[in-house]
Amino acid sequence: MSLAVRFDAIEKQFGPVRVLHGVSFDLAPGRIYGLLGENGAGKSTLMKILAGYERASGGTVSVQGAPVAFDSSRDAEAAGIVLIHQELNLADHLSIVQNMFLGHEKRRHFLLDEAAMREAARARLADVGLHKHPDTKVRDLIVAEKQLVEIAKAMLRDARLLIMDEPTATLTPAETQRLFKLMARLKEDGVTIVYISHKLDEVERVTDEVIVMRDGRFVTRAPTVELTRQQMANLMVGREVSDMFPDKPALAADAPVALQVEGVYVPGWARNVSFAVRAGEVFGFAGLVGAGRTELFESLIGVRKRTAGRISLDGRALASARPHDPRDAMNLGLTYLSEDRKGRGLHVDMSLKDNLTLMTLERYAHPFIDGAAERQALKQAVGDFDIRTGNLASRARMLSGGNQQKLALAKFLHPDPRVIVLDEPTRGVDVGAKRDIYFLIHRLAAEGRAVIVISSELIELIGLCHRVAVMRAGELVATLDIEHLTEERLIAHATGTH
């Protein structure tokens, strides 16, 4: 059965803060809708109300013409409405199959029917292109594989209305293509899909209609074919958005080498990798998921073991055992911001102030913590990084995704590093926040720092970087300079078809 949904004057308040203001629109069966808006526009909150994770403060949600108010996500799933979260909602210590059937276990008489669950999980994993044994622990998967598990889990629920919140943020082009084929098949079966994404090229490619929200309000809707990507971006931010990428800072011919890496081996991930980055340079790393980019840099800051190789910072060779942990790397002038901003970048249940100063507490201890100095540092960071928050005393989880990323950047830059590694710095953030982060990256380079950007978005690397290194299967296979930076060349090197 197909589902028709209607939102009528939906309101939502969290304490004194109103995040949805009388939102009204409908969703017809068997169509793919692109739901657009900046971080904080209210898209995810509205969808959480539909999927039973939140209750509306006012207004009515109707399904098949009848008002509904789901008490839980389980009730919504029973009605055929399933939400795939942007932030992964998996239990790391359980297996893939246990996560997929958690709370929905199949039974044979009084016992769990593990064989039936394993077979069903295997079929859904094949649909999304994840070729892992269902008994594999989720903690042993990389982020992109976890995202595919989330999608496969939703497929098990027999969804008639499927909400996808940034589903391709960590996926390779091939995995994304497979997901789009799956979406087309679901649409043919009458499933309604709400596709939330900041990747406007994908929205343009896969959706039938675009719905735009801004500041908690419905703005407009239109057939996708009637809007250009530029028009979509302008509607999202409420102003003309142009010049996404700033002019690249001039790189002096005699700029000194800030970071030199020679012959690094990371068991299982990287082999004999060598490169150099100069002060004032934005240096990119491209490659498919699993190419070893993240693992290479985790080894450079001491998170992951490396068995060989030399590292030099500002021309000074480091002892083979160093850095032996991220704090040691920070003290040497090298910081790394993980792609997992909530798991490894921020403590979301801590305040903005405590997050910002956590890596440099000794700066504020005399010997007791100087709270006034910390608050002043936060005010400075909020201005410098354009972190939009209504309350400086709030917790990090209250910020939108884009503002959480800006806070994470402020935190990792607070120690004043000479070399900054940013892993997927704009994953899951809106077009306005992306532009802010791009300009920040170039500001850092213009200050004479070396900035390394790991990204799966080729346009991002081309627009930002002076040079881009390409990794494939643990090896650095090419380094392209500005004159040779094209999507075609990067893809060819990443896939081995050059």
Coordinates of all heavy atoms in Angstrom, one line a residue, residues 301-388:
I301 N 49.6 10.8 13.5 CA 49.3 11.4 14.8 C 49.3 10.4 16.0 O 49.0 10.7 17.1 CB 48.0 12.2 14.9 CG1 46.8 11.3 14.6 CG2 48.0 13.3 13.8 CD1 45.5 11.9 15.0
G302 N 49.7 9.2 15.7 CA 49.9 8.2 16.8 C 48.6 7.4 17.1 O 48.7 6.6 18.1
V303 N 47.5 7.6 16.4 CA 46.3 6.8 16.7 C 46.4 5.4 16.1 O 45.9 4.4 16.7 CB 45.1 7.5 16.1 CG1 43.9 6.6 16.1 CG2 44.8 8.8 16.8
R304 N 47.2 5.2 15.1 CA 47.3 3.9 14.4 C 48.8 3.6 14.2 O 49.6 4.5 14.0 CB 46.6 3.9 13.0 CG 46.4 2.6 12.4 CD 45.7 2.8 11.0 NE 44.3 3.2 11.3 CZ 43.3 2.4 11.4 NH1 43.5 1.1 11.4 NH2 42.1 2.8 11.6
K305 N 49.1 2.3 14.4 CA 50.5 1.9 14.3 C 51.1 2.0 12.9 O 50.5 1.7 11.9 CB 50.7 0.5 14.8 CG 52.1 0.0 14.8 CD 52.2 -1.5 15.3 CE 53.6 -2.0 15.3 NZ 53.7 -3.4 15.8
R306 N 52.3 2.5 12.8 CA 53.1 2.5 11.5 C 54.4 1.8 11.8 O 55.0 1.9 12.9 CB 53.3 3.9 11.0 CG 54.0 4.8 11.8 CD 54.1 6.2 11.2 NE 54.6 7.2 12.2 CZ 55.9 7.5 12.4 NH1 56.8 6.9 11.6 NH2 56.2 8.4 13.2
T307 N 54.8 1.0 10.8 CA 56.0 0.1 11.0 C 57.2 0.7 10.4 O 58.3 0.1 10.6 CB 55.7 -1.3 10.4 OG1 55.3 -1.1 9.1 CG2 54.6 -2.0 11.2
A308 N 57.1 1.7 9.5 CA 58.3 2.3 8.9 C 57.9 3.7 8.5 O 56.8 4.1 8.4 CB 58.7 1.5 7.7
G309 N 59.0 4.5 8.2 CA 58.8 5.8 7.6 C 59.3 6.9 8.5 O 59.6 6.7 9.7
R310 N 59.6 8.1 7.9 CA 60.1 9.2 8.6 C 59.1 10.4 8.4 O 58.5 10.6 7.4 CB 61.4 9.6 8.0 CG 62.6 8.7 8.3 CD 63.8 8.9 7.4 NE 64.1 10.3 7.3 CZ 64.9 10.9 8.2 NH1 65.5 10.3 9.2 NH2 65.3 12.2 8.1
I311 N 59.0 11.2 9.5 CA 58.2 12.4 9.4 C 59.0 13.6 9.8 O 59.8 13.5 10.8 CB 57.0 12.3 10.4 CG1 56.2 11.0 10.2 CG2 56.1 13.5 10.3 CD1 55.1 10.8 11.2
S312 N 58.9 14.7 9.1 CA 59.6 15.9 9.4 C 58.6 17.0 9.5 O 57.8 17.2 8.6 CB 60.7 16.2 8.4 OG 61.7 15.2 8.3
L313 N 58.7 17.8 10.5 CA 57.9 19.0 10.7 C 58.8 20.3 10.7 O 59.7 20.3 11.5 CB 57.1 19.0 12.0 CG 55.8 18.0 12.0 CD1 55.3 17.8 13.4 CD2 54.7 18.6 11.1
D314 N 58.5 21.2 9.8 CA 59.3 22.4 9.7 C 60.8 22.1 9.5 O 61.6 22.7 10.1 CB 59.1 23.3 10.9 CG 57.7 24.0 10.8 OD1 57.3 24.3 9.6 OD2 57.1 24.3 11.8
G315 N 61.1 21.0 8.8 CA 62.5 20.6 8.5 C 63.1 19.9 9.6 O 64.3 19.5 9.5
R316 N 62.4 19.6 10.7 CA 63.0 18.9 11.8 C 62.5 17.5 11.8 O 61.3 17.2 12.0 CB 62.5 19.6 13.1 CG 63.1 19.0 14.4 CD 62.9 20.1 15.5 NE 61.6 20.7 15.5 CZ 60.6 20.2 16.3 NH1 60.7 19.2 17.0 NH2 59.4 20.9 16.2
A317 N 63.4 16.5 11.7 CA 63.0 15.1 11.7 C 62.6 14.7 13.0 O 63.2 15.0 14.0 CB 64.1 14.2 11.2
L318 N 61.5 13.9 13.1 CA 61.0 13.4 14.4 C 61.5 12.0 14.6 O 61.8 11.2 13.7 CB 59.4 13.4 14.4 CG 58.7 14.7 14.0 CD1 57.2 14.5 14.2 CD2 59.2 15.8 14.9
A319 N 61.7 11.6 15.9 CA 62.1 10.3 16.2 C 61.1 9.3 15.7 O 59.9 9.6 15.6 CB 62.2 10.1 17.7
S320 N 61.5 8.1 15.3 CA 60.7 7.1 14.7 C 59.4 6.8 15.5 O 58.4 6.4 14.9 CB 61.5 5.8 14.4 OG 61.9 5.3 15.6
A321 N 59.5 6.9 16.8 CA 58.4 6.5 17.6 C 57.4 7.7 17.8 O 56.3 7.5 18.5 CB 58.8 6.1 19.0
R322 N 57.7 8.8 17.3 CA 56.8 10.0 17.5 C 56.1 10.5 16.2 O 56.7 10.3 15.2 CB 57.6 11.1 18.2 CG 58.2 10.7 19.5 CD 59.0 11.9 20.1 NE 58.2 13.0 20.5 CZ 58.7 14.2 20.9 NH1 59.9 14.4 20.8 NH2 57.8 15.1 21.3
P323 N 55.0 11.1 16.3 CA 54.2 11.3 17.6 C 53.6 10.0 18.1 O 53.2 9.1 17.2 CB 53.1 12.3 17.1 CG 53.5 12.8 15.8 CD 54.4 11.8 15.2
H324 N 53.5 9.8 19.4 CA 53.0 8.5 19.9 C 51.5 8.7 20.3 O 50.9 7.7 20.7 CB 53.8 8.0 21.0 CG 54.1 9.0 22.1 ND1 53.1 9.3 23.0 CD2 55.2 9.7 22.5 CE1 53.6 10.2 23.9 NE2 54.9 10.4 23.6
D325 N 51.0 9.9 20.3 CA 49.5 10.1 20.5 C 49.1 11.4 20.0 O 50.0 12.3 19.7 CB 49.2 9.9 22.0 CG 49.9 10.9 22.9 OD1 50.0 12.1 22.5 OD2 50.3 10.5 24.0
P326 N 47.8 11.7 19.8 CA 47.4 13.0 19.3 C 47.9 14.2 20.0 O 48.2 15.3 19.4 CB 45.9 12.9 19.3 CG 45.6 11.4 19.2 CD 46.7 10.8 20.0
R327 N 48.0 14.1 21.4 CA 48.4 15.3 22.2 C 49.9 15.6 21.8 O 50.3 16.7 21.7 CB 48.2 15.0 23.7 CG 48.7 16.2 24.5 CD 48.3 16.0 26.0 NE 46.9 16.2 26.1 CZ 46.3 17.4 26.2 NH1 47.0 18.5 26.1 NH2 45.0 17.6 26.3
D328 N 50.7 14.5 21.7 CA 52.1 14.7 21.3 C 52.2 15.4 19.9 O 53.0 16.3 19.7 CB 52.8 13.3 21.3 CG 54.3 13.5 21.1 OD1 54.9 14.5 21.5 OD2 54.9 12.5 20.6
A329 N 51.3 14.9 19.0 CA 51.3 15.5 17.7 C 50.9 17.0 17.8 O 51.5 17.8 17.1 CB 50.3 14.7 16.8
M330 N 49.9 17.3 18.6 CA 49.5 18.7 18.7 C 50.6 19.5 19.3 O 50.9 20.6 18.8 CB 48.3 18.7 19.7 CG 47.8 20.1 20.0 SD 46.6 20.1 21.4 CE 47.8 20.0 22.8
N331 N 51.4 19.0 20.2 CA 52.5 19.8 20.8 C 53.6 20.0 19.8 O 54.3 21.0 19.9 CB 53.0 19.1 22.1 CG 52.0 19.1 23.2 OD1 51.2 20.1 23.3 ND2 52.1 18.2 24.1
L332 N 53.7 19.1 18.8 CA 54.7 19.3 17.8 C 54.2 20.2 16.6 O 55.0 20.5 15.7 CB 55.1 17.9 17.2 CG 55.8 17.0 18.2 CD1 55.8 15.5 17.7 CD2 57.2 17.5 18.5
G333 N 52.9 20.6 16.7 CA 52.4 21.5 15.7 C 51.5 20.8 14.6 O 51.2 21.4 13.6
L334 N 51.1 19.6 14.8 CA 50.3 18.8 13.8 C 48.9 18.4 14.5 O 48.9 17.8 15.5 CB 51.0 17.6 13.4 CG 50.3 16.5 12.5 CD1 49.8 17.1 11.2 CD2 51.1 15.3 12.3
T335 N 47.8 18.8 13.9 CA 46.5 18.4 14.4 C 45.7 17.8 13.3 O 45.9 18.1 12.1 CB 45.7 19.6 15.0 OG1 45.5 20.5 13.9 CG2 46.4 20.2 16.1
Y336 N 44.8 16.8 13.6 CA 44.0 16.1 12.7 C 42.6 16.1 13.2 O 42.3 15.7 14.3 CB 44.5 14.6 12.6 CG 43.6 13.7 11.9 CD1 43.5 13.6 10.5 CD2 42.8 12.8 12.7 CE1 42.6 12.7 9.9 CE2 41.9 11.9 12.1 CZ 41.8 11.9 10.7 OH 41.0 11.0 10.1
L337 N 41.6 16.6 12.3 CA 40.2 16.6 12.7 C 39.6 15.5 11.9 O 39.5 15.5 10.7 CB 39.6 18.0 12.3 CG 38.1 18.1 12.5 CD1 37.7 17.8 13.9 CD2 37.6 19.5 12.0
S338 N 39.0 14.5 12.7 CA 38.4 13.3 12.1 C 37.2 13.6 11.3 O 36.4 14.6 11.6 CB 38.1 12.4 13.3 OG 37.3 11.3 12.8
E339 N 36.8 12.7 10.4 CA 35.6 12.8 9.6 C 34.4 12.6 10.6 O 33.3 13.0 10.2 CB 35.6 11.8 8.5 CG 35.6 10.4 8.9 CD 35.6 9.4 7.8 OE1 35.0 9.7 6.7 OE2 36.3 8.3 7.9
D340 N 34.6 11.9 11.7 CA 33.5 11.6 12.6 C 33.5 12.6 13.7 O 34.0 12.5 14.8 CB 33.8 10.2 13.2 CG 32.7 9.8 14.2 OD1 31.7 10.5 14.3 OD2 32.9 8.7 14.9
R341 N 32.8 13.8 13.4 CA 32.9 14.9 14.3 C 32.2 14.6 15.6 O 32.6 15.2 16.6 CB 32.3 16.2 13.6 CG 30.8 16.1 13.4 CD 30.2 17.5 13.0 NE 28.8 17.4 12.6 CZ 28.4 17.4 11.4 NH1 29.2 17.5 10.4 NH2 27.1 17.3 11.1
K342 N 31.2 13.8 15.7 CA 30.5 13.5 16.9 C 31.2 12.4 17.7 O 31.2 12.4 19.0 CB 29.1 13.1 16.7 CG 28.2 14.3 16.3 CD 26.7 14.0 16.4 CE 25.9 15.3 16.1 NZ 24.5 15.0 16.2
G343 N 31.9 11.5 17.0 CA 32.5 10.4 17.7 C 33.9 10.8 18.2 O 34.4 10.4 19.3
R344 N 34.7 11.6 17.3 CA 36.1 11.8 17.6 C 36.4 13.3 17.6 O 37.5 13.7 18.0 CB 37.0 11.1 16.6 CG 36.8 9.6 16.7 CD 37.8 9.0 15.8 NE 37.7 7.5 15.8 CZ 38.5 6.7 15.1 NH1 39.4 7.2 14.3 NH2 38.3 5.4 15.1
G345 N 35.5 14.2 17.2 CA 35.8 15.6 17.1 C 35.3 16.4 18.3 O 36.0 17.2 18.9
L346 N 34.0 16.1 18.7 CA 33.4 16.9 19.8 C 32.8 15.9 20.8 O 32.5 14.8 20.6 CB 32.2 17.7 19.2 CG 32.6 18.8 18.2 CD1 31.3 19.5 17.7 CD2 33.4 19.9 18.8
H347 N 32.7 16.5 22.0 CA 31.9 15.8 23.1 C 30.6 16.6 23.1 O 30.5 17.6 23.7 CB 32.7 16.0 24.4 CG 34.0 15.2 24.5 ND1 34.1 13.9 24.9 CD2 35.2 15.6 24.2 CE1 35.4 13.5 24.8 NE2 36.1 14.6 24.4
V348 N 29.6 16.0 22.5 CA 28.4 16.7 22.2 C 27.6 17.0 23.5 O 26.7 17.9 23.5 CB 27.5 16.0 21.2 CG1 28.2 15.9 19.8 CG2 27.1 14.6 21.7
D349 N 27.8 16.3 24.6 CA 27.1 16.6 25.8 C 27.8 17.6 26.7 O 27.4 17.9 27.8 CB 26.8 15.3 26.6 CG 25.7 14.5 25.9 OD1 24.7 15.1 25.4 OD2 25.9 13.2 25.8
M350 N 29.0 18.1 26.2 CA 29.7 19.1 27.0 C 29.4 20.5 26.4 O 28.8 20.6 25.3 CB 31.2 18.9 26.9 CG 31.7 17.6 27.7 SD 33.4 17.2 27.4 CE 34.2 18.7 28.0
S351 N 29.7 21.5 27.1 CA 29.4 22.9 26.7 C 30.3 23.3 25.5 O 31.3 22.7 25.3 CB 29.5 23.9 27.8 OG 30.9 24.0 28.2
L352 N 29.9 24.4 24.8 CA 30.8 24.9 23.8 C 32.1 25.3 24.3 O 33.2 25.0 23.7 CB 30.1 26.1 23.1 CG 28.6 26.0 22.7 CD1 28.2 27.3 21.9 CD2 28.4 24.8 21.8
K353 N 32.1 26.0 25.5 CA 33.4 26.4 26.1 C 34.3 25.2 26.4 O 35.5 25.3 26.1 CB 33.0 27.2 27.4 CG 34.2 27.5 28.2 CD 33.8 28.3 29.4 CE 32.9 27.6 30.4 NZ 33.6 26.4 31.1
D354 N 33.7 24.2 27.0 CA 34.5 23.1 27.4 C 35.1 22.3 26.2 O 36.2 21.8 26.3 CB 33.7 22.1 28.3 CG 33.5 22.7 29.7 OD1 34.1 23.7 30.0 OD2 32.6 22.2 30.4
N355 N 34.3 22.3 25.2 CA 34.8 21.6 23.9 C 36.0 22.4 23.4 O 37.0 21.9 23.0 CB 33.7 21.5 22.9 CG 32.9 20.2 22.9 OD1 33.4 19.2 22.5 ND2 31.7 20.3 23.5
L356 N 35.8 23.7 23.3 CA 36.8 24.6 22.7 C 38.2 24.5 23.4 O 39.2 24.4 22.7 CB 36.4 26.0 22.7 CG 37.4 27.0 22.1 CD1 37.5 26.9 20.6 CD2 37.0 28.5 22.5
T357 N 38.2 24.5 24.7 CA 39.4 24.6 25.4 C 40.0 23.2 25.9 O 41.0 23.2 26.6 CB 39.2 25.5 26.6 OG1 38.3 24.9 27.5 CG2 38.8 26.9 26.2
L358 N 39.3 22.1 25.6 CA 39.7 20.8 26.1 C 41.1 20.4 25.8 O 41.8 19.9 26.6 CB 38.7 19.8 25.6 CG 38.8 18.4 26.2 CD1 38.6 18.4 27.7 CD2 37.9 17.4 25.6
M359 N 41.6 20.8 24.6 CA 42.9 20.4 24.2 C 44.0 21.3 24.7 O 45.2 20.9 24.6 CB 43.0 20.3 22.6 CG 42.0 19.3 22.0 SD 42.0 19.4 20.2 CE 43.6 19.0 19.7
T360 N 43.6 22.4 25.3 CA 44.6 23.4 25.8 C 44.3 23.8 27.2 O 44.6 25.0 27.5 CB 44.6 24.6 24.8 OG1 43.3 25.1 24.7 CG2 45.1 24.2 23.4
L361 N 43.9 22.9 28.0 CA 43.5 23.3 29.4 C 44.6 23.9 30.2 O 44.4 24.8 31.0 CB 42.9 22.1 30.1 CG 41.4 21.8 29.9 CD1 41.0 20.6 30.7 CD2 40.5 23.0 30.3
E362 N 45.8 23.4 29.9 CA 46.9 24.0 30.7 C 47.1 25.5 30.5 O 47.6 26.2 31.3 CB 48.2 23.2 30.3 CG 48.7 23.4 28.9 CD 48.0 22.5 27.9 OE1 47.1 21.7 28.3 OE2 48.3 22.6 26.7
R363 N 46.6 26.0 29.4 CA 46.7 27.4 29.1 C 45.8 28.2 30.0 O 46.0 29.4 30.3 CB 46.2 27.6 27.6 CG 46.4 29.0 27.1 CD 45.9 29.2 25.7 NE 46.5 28.3 24.7 CZ 46.2 28.2 23.4 NH1 45.2 29.0 23.0 NH2 46.8 27.4 22.6
Y364 N 44.8 27.5 30.6 CA 43.8 28.2 31.4 C 43.9 27.8 32.9 O 43.1 28.3 33.7 CB 42.4 27.9 30.9 CG 42.2 28.4 29.5 CD1 42.4 27.5 28.4 CD2 41.8 29.7 29.2 CE1 42.2 28.0 27.1 CE2 41.7 30.2 27.9 CZ 41.9 29.3 26.9 OH 41.7 29.7 25.6
A365 N 44.8 27.0 33.3 CA 45.0 26.5 34.7 C 46.1 27.3 35.4 O 47.2 27.2 34.9 CB 45.2 25.0 34.7
H366 N 45.8 28.0 36.5 CA 46.8 28.8 37.2 C 46.8 28.7 38.7 O 47.0 29.7 39.4 CB 46.6 30.3 36.8 CG 46.5 30.6 35.4 ND1 47.5 30.5 34.5 CD2 45.4 31.0 34.7 CE1 47.0 30.8 33.3 NE2 45.8 31.1 33.4
P367 N 46.7 27.5 39.4 CA 46.5 26.2 38.8 C 45.0 25.9 38.6 O 44.7 24.9 38.0 CB 47.0 25.3 39.9 CG 46.7 26.1 41.2 CD 46.9 27.5 40.8
F368 N 44.1 26.7 39.1 CA 42.7 26.5 38.9 C 42.2 27.0 37.5 O 42.8 28.0 37.0 CB 41.8 27.1 40.0 CG 42.2 26.5 41.3 CD1 42.9 27.3 42.3 CD2 41.9 25.2 41.7 CE1 43.2 26.8 43.5 CE2 42.2 24.7 42.9 CZ 42.9 25.5 43.8
I369 N 41.2 26.4 36.9 CA 40.7 26.8 35.6 C 40.2 28.2 35.7 O 39.3 28.6 36.5 CB 39.6 25.8 35.1 CG1 40.2 24.4 35.0 CG2 39.0 26.3 33.8 CD1 41.3 24.3 34.0
D370 N 40.6 29.1 34.8 CA 40.2 30.5 34.7 C 38.9 30.5 33.7 O 39.1 30.6 32.5 CB 41.3 31.3 34.1 CG 40.9 32.8 34.1 OD1 39.7 33.1 34.2 OD2 41.9 33.6 33.9
G371 N 37.7 30.4 34.3 CA 36.5 30.3 33.6 C 36.3 31.5 32.7 O 35.8 31.5 31.6
A372 N 36.6 32.7 33.3 CA 36.4 34.0 32.5 C 37.3 34.0 31.3 O 36.8 34.4 30.2 CB 36.8 35.2 33.4
A373 N 38.5 33.5 31.3 CA 39.4 33.4 30.2 C 38.8 32.5 29.1 O 38.9 32.7 27.9 CB 40.8 33.1 30.6
E374 N 38.3 31.3 29.6 CA 37.7 30.4 28.7 C 36.5 31.0 28.0 O 36.3 30.8 26.8 CB 37.2 29.1 29.5 CG 38.3 28.2 29.9 CD 37.7 26.9 30.4 OE1 37.0 27.0 31.5 OE2 38.0 25.8 29.9
R375 N 35.6 31.7 28.7 CA 34.5 32.3 28.1 C 34.9 33.4 27.1 O 34.3 33.5 26.0 CB 33.6 32.9 29.2 CG 32.8 31.9 30.0 CD 31.8 32.5 30.9 NE 32.4 33.3 32.0 CZ 32.8 32.7 33.1 NH1 32.6 31.4 33.3 NH2 33.3 33.4 34.1
Q376 N 35.9 34.1 27.4 CA 36.4 35.1 26.4 C 37.0 34.4 25.1 O 36.7 34.9 24.0 CB 37.5 36.0 27.0 CG 38.1 37.1 26.2 CD 37.0 38.0 25.7 OE1 36.1 38.4 26.5 NE2 37.0 38.4 24.4
A377 N 37.6 33.3 25.3 CA 38.1 32.5 24.2 C 37.0 32.0 23.3 O 37.1 32.0 22.1 CB 39.0 31.3 24.6
L378 N 35.9 31.6 24.0 CA 34.7 31.1 23.2 C 34.1 32.3 22.4 O 33.7 32.1 21.3 CB 33.7 30.5 24.2 CG 32.4 30.1 23.5 CD1 32.7 29.0 22.5 CD2 31.4 29.6 24.5
K379 N 33.9 33.4 23.1 CA 33.4 34.6 22.3 C 34.2 34.9 21.1 O 33.7 35.2 20.0 CB 33.3 35.8 23.3 CG 32.3 35.7 24.3 CD 32.3 37.0 25.2 CE 31.2 36.9 26.3 NZ 31.3 38.1 27.2
Q380 N 35.5 34.8 21.3 CA 36.4 35.1 20.2 C 36.2 34.1 19.0 O 36.2 34.4 17.9 CB 37.9 35.1 20.6 CG 39.0 35.3 19.6 CD 39.1 36.8 19.2 OE1 38.8 37.6 20.1 NE2 39.5 37.1 18.0
A381 N 36.1 32.8 19.4 CA 36.0 31.7 18.4 C 34.6 31.8 17.7 O 34.5 31.6 16.5 CB 36.1 30.4 19.1
V382 N 33.6 32.2 18.5 CA 32.2 32.3 17.9 C 32.3 33.4 16.8 O 31.7 33.2 15.7 CB 31.2 32.6 18.9 CG1 29.9 33.1 18.3 CG2 30.9 31.4 19.8
G383 N 33.0 34.5 17.0 CA 33.1 35.5 16.0 C 34.0 35.1 14.9 O 33.7 35.3 13.7
D384 N 35.2 34.5 15.2 CA 36.1 34.2 14.1 C 35.6 33.1 13.2 O 36.0 33.1 12.0 CB 37.5 33.7 14.8 CG 38.2 34.9 15.4 OD1 37.9 36.0 15.2 OD2 39.2 34.6 16.2
F385 N 34.9 32.2 13.7 CA 34.4 31.0 12.9 C 32.9 31.1 12.6 O 32.4 30.2 12.0 CB 34.7 29.7 13.7 CG 36.1 29.4 13.9 CD1 36.9 30.0 14.9 CD2 36.8 28.6 13.0 CE1 38.2 29.7 15.1 CE2 38.2 28.3 13.1 CZ 38.9 28.9 14.2
D386 N 32.3 32.2 12.9 CA 30.9 32.4 12.6 C 30.0 31.3 13.1 O 29.2 30.7 12.4 CB 30.7 32.6 11.1 CG 29.3 33.1 10.8 OD1 28.7 33.8 11.6 OD2 28.8 32.9 9.6
I387 N 30.2 30.9 14.4 CA 29.4 29.8 15.0 C 28.1 30.4 15.4 O 28.1 31.3 16.3 CB 30.2 29.2 16.2 CG1 31.5 28.6 15.7 CG2 29.3 28.1 16.8 CD1 32.4 28.2 16.8
R388 N 27.0 29.9 14.9 CA 25.7 30.5 15.1 C 25.0 29.8 16.3 O 24.6 28.6 16.1 CB 24.9 30.6 13.9 CG 25.5 31.4 12.8 CD 24.8 31.3 11.5 NE 25.6 31.9 10.4 CZ 25.3 32.0 9.1 NH1 24.1 31.4 8.7 NH2 26.1 32.5 8.2

